[in-house]
Amino acid sequence: MWRHHQGRLSEAVDLDEYEANLATLLALLGERARQVLVIGEPPMGWEPGINVPAANTELLTYNAAARRSAEFAGAHYIDLWDQIVDAATCYGWHPNNPAAPAPGAVSVWSDGVHLSEHGDELLRRTVADYIAERRLLADLLITRDHDGAASDNLAD
């Protein structure tokens, strides 16, 4: 999606190809993993030469496709969008007029596209909270025998 907005069309992946690739990936992972997590893409903060609001609108479409694919595959989908936008706006960023922060200012992005240490921490906390709220680790500690019967390995 980003490559499309950069004009690098030979590297761009359209929505149909993205969904097909993700469905294949989730099917393969689902055969091998007891839990699969799909983490949604956070919005872009800024990028010279790109219409960031338009790119973020399209990115929301790709995230919706990722959510649908995760649900279809029985995987968990973790949405970062609102947490990143909320934190970024607290630091002075505006989604309709995205711009790089002043030098030395705190941001959730290191360069407008990649998360900074603040964004990484928000990502870590969001994922950890999701896992804890749904007791996903506890579910992984349940052993299943060959017949599928479960036994709990958790100490009471």
Side-chain angles (χ1 to χ4, degrees), residues 58-105:
E58 188 173 357
L59 190 51
L60 283 168
T61 302
Y62 279 69
N63 277 347
R67 180 187 299 274
R68 286 190 308 272
S69 295
E71 289 171 358
F72 181 78
H76 296 270
Y77 181 82
I78 301 175
D79 190 347
L80 303 174
W81 197 273
D82 290 340
Q83 291 88 340
I84 296 292
V85 168
D86 289 348
T89 56
C90 287
Y91 294 136
W93 179 81
H94 194 281
N96 295 326
N97 190 23

Side-chain angles (χ1 to χ4, degrees), residues 17-109:
E17 183 180 1
Y18 174 78
E19 286 184 287
N21 290 343
L22 189 54
T24 300
L25 171 71
L26 291 171
L28 290 170
L29 286 171
E31 293 171 0
R32 293 164 175 81
R34 291 176 59 194
Q35 295 282 348
V36 176
L37 303 176
V38 176
I39 300 174
E41 284 287 327
M44 286 186 187
W46 65 90
E47 178 68 12
I50 289 181
N51 180 338
V52 172
N56 282 340
T57 297
E58 188 173 357
L59 190 51
L60 283 168
T61 302
Y62 279 69
N63 277 347
R67 180 187 299 274
R68 286 190 308 272
S69 295
E71 289 171 358
F72 181 78
H76 296 270
Y77 181 82
I78 301 175
D79 190 347
L80 303 174
W81 197 273
D82 290 340
Q83 291 88 340
I84 296 292
V85 168
D86 289 348
T89 56
C90 287
Y91 294 136
W93 179 81
H94 194 281
N96 295 326
N97 190 23
V106 175
S107 174
V108 296
W109 297 280

